[in-house]
Amino acid sequence: MSNHLFDALTAFIPEPGKVFLETPEGSKLTYRDVLARSAQYAGALQKLGVKPGDRVAVQVEKTPDALMVYLGTIRAGAVFLPLNTAYTPAEVAYFVGDAEPAVFVCDPQKADALAGTAQKEGARLQTLNARGEGTLRDLADTMPEDFTTVAREDEDLAAILYTSGTTGRSKGAMLSHGNLASNSQTMVKVWRFTEDDVLLHALPIFHTHGLFVATNCLMMAGGSMLFLPKFDLDQVLALLPRATAMMGVPTFYTRLLASEAFTKDLVGHFRLFISGSAPLSAEVHRAFLDRTGHAILERYGMTETNMNTSNPYDGDRRPGTVGFPLPGVGLRIADPKTGREVSPGEVGIIEIKGPNVFQGYWRMPEKTSQEFRVDGYFITGDMGRIDEDGYVSIVGRSKDLIISGGFNVYPAEVEALLDELPGVAESAVIGVPHPDFGEAVVAVLAAKPDSVLDEDTVLAPIRDRLAKFKQPKKVHVLEALPRNTMGKIQKNVLRDQFKGDFS
Ligand code: AMP
């Protein structure tokens, strides 16, 4: 029977005994084990009453078993709903109430706090801990190692991923089997993944990057993964010699560069370093190239659309850009107000259409229709431009755009200059309320170790490089910038912290 996503993931298995995944402790899952374990989890979910189309929500640590629950859910014809492990029980209560899963899997330590929520919403509560043990595993262990995978078509839902939602309520992005399978097939091709690849996997698996981009790609290619619970510098340094590729958020690369143990010799054999989920500064790109000889390949995607653009595998990987639209993905830059395409080179909102674009927000038809144009393009909320060679660059989220004295200031432009200054480790440019200008440009910086930054030394070198209205009216220096688990700087936190600067 055909199950669109599972069939695509398992279409190429080099040989059943090949290792698909290995943990730093040396425990291994072969492709044969993957088929058997995912069958057992699919059987366990069915036994718990999960029917096709039902949601299976999980808030569990990253373990091989958690990944097998994902595959088991797909095989049972259900919809996988991973939740960030940092969410508090109160936050989880919202997601479980909104998604009404048939089964909710959590860490045994949180089971007491979450039992009431599960019961209220009619979800069967199951557990799985950081060692992959718990009631769901116990049940799976009693199930047969084969399972008749439930038929699903490409338009059927495979997953709901809640967006990080820095403003307003989090929205559940509905992703179909076709969305996920088609995008991963494209990535395998453009990034040239093969069965010879060993991916160093240090990303969380509650997010699209670690779950779909990394895992689906490697499984489709018949490759292997070194599966780390999280990014641990020493562990990563120890395992790099065994890997051929790594997918990371920019902070992985800055952390590697900060270590003297990260040398060219360690990664001379490497095939590919990929970065995404947040902007990789041109500085870090160059420093990485200098240190290792590898140009990091930066790509751009989001929960709702999977991957949209990528720098080329062959050819110039340009720092500060996210490359070209992927094959089959339509990308245009539009005027946010009129929706009309802007002239070449101008900044506007990035809009996307293609088989990768999600099916809408779960139970939010109005929100969904507001974010699509009538011709089917999804309005991403990212501002960007396309240069004369066709490279796309992102200048910031539209909600981060600063309007000062009636002029638009794109944070990325100012941040790029600040990042070049010798003592600056990282920067965030935000708009805060100002009595005359409406909003004022404010720079928040973190200094490099042993460097001291003050407003004058920061502003002097950029004065004649930036129009006056773009120059920061105030500079704050913090120990480190606040980031979420995917390495994105939380500008909403900074705007809140500095909202009183001019009042
Ligand atoms: P998420 O849905 O959590 O994956 O976040 C998606 C958002 O991350 C996008 O809409 C962009 O704002 C941002 N993003 C992803 N990749 C990049 C990138 N390479 N450069 C800049 N921003 C990025």
Side-chain angles (χ1 to χ4, degrees), residues 162-164 207-209 250 275-280 298-309 321-322 380-383 394-397 400 484 486 488:
Y162 279 87
T163 57
S164 28
H207 185 270
T208 185
H209 195 167
S275 176
S277 289
L280 179 78
E298 185 171 7
R299 96 295 180 282
Y300 156 59
M302 61 198 305
T303 303
E304 289 92 331
T305 61
N306 301 280
M307 296 304 100
N308 298 321
T309 73
T321 81
V322 292
T380 62
D382 291 313
M383 307 287 289
I394 297 175
V395 298
R397 295 286 298 164
D400 295 332
N484 71 9
M486 292 310 293
K488 285 193 229 294

Side-chain angles (χ1 to χ4, degrees), residues 1-3 7 148-152:
M1 210 166 299
S2 109
N3 174 299
D7 292 351
T148 309
T149 299
V150 173
R152 292 270 94 183

Side-chain angles (χ1 to χ4, degrees), residues 351-480:
E351 300 186 351
I352 301 285
K353 188 176 178 177
N356 54 320
V357 175
F358 74 135
Q359 310 299 301
Y361 293 113
W362 172 256
R363 291 184 179 162
M364 287 187 178
E366 273 172 30
K367 188 79 202 157
T368 302
S369 61
Q370 278 165 18
E371 311 226 344
F372 278 89
R373 302 277 181 209
V374 280
D375 61 358
Y377 271 82
F378 172 61
I379 309 165
T380 62
D382 291 313
M383 307 287 289
R385 74 159 76 81
I386 305 179
D387 73 12
E388 63 277 14
D389 299 325
Y391 284 81
V392 177
S393 12
I394 297 175
V395 298
R397 295 286 298 164
S398 63
K399 63 178 187 324
D400 295 332
L401 172 77
I402 305 163
I403 305 181
S404 189
F407 294 110
N408 286 357
V409 181
Y410 301 108
E413 186 188 353
V414 187
E415 288 158 2
L417 289 185
L418 293 170
D419 289 343
E420 277 177 24
L421 301 177
V424 173
E426 50 182 2
S427 68
V429 167
I430 54 168
V432 304
H434 188 283
D436 288 341
F437 299 107
E439 280 186 303
V441 179
V442 167
V444 190
L445 307 173
K448 285 194 174 140
D450 307 326
S451 297
V452 180
L453 296 172
D454 64 52
E455 193 157 298
D456 286 342
T457 46
V458 167
L459 293 182
I462 63 172
R463 280 218 170 91
D464 45 350
R465 298 180 66 192
L466 269 185
K468 186 104 171 95
F469 70 92
K470 298 181 190 170
Q471 292 175 14
K473 296 201 165 33
K474 199 153 201 163
V475 175
H476 296 279
V477 181
L478 306 183
E479 286 277 299

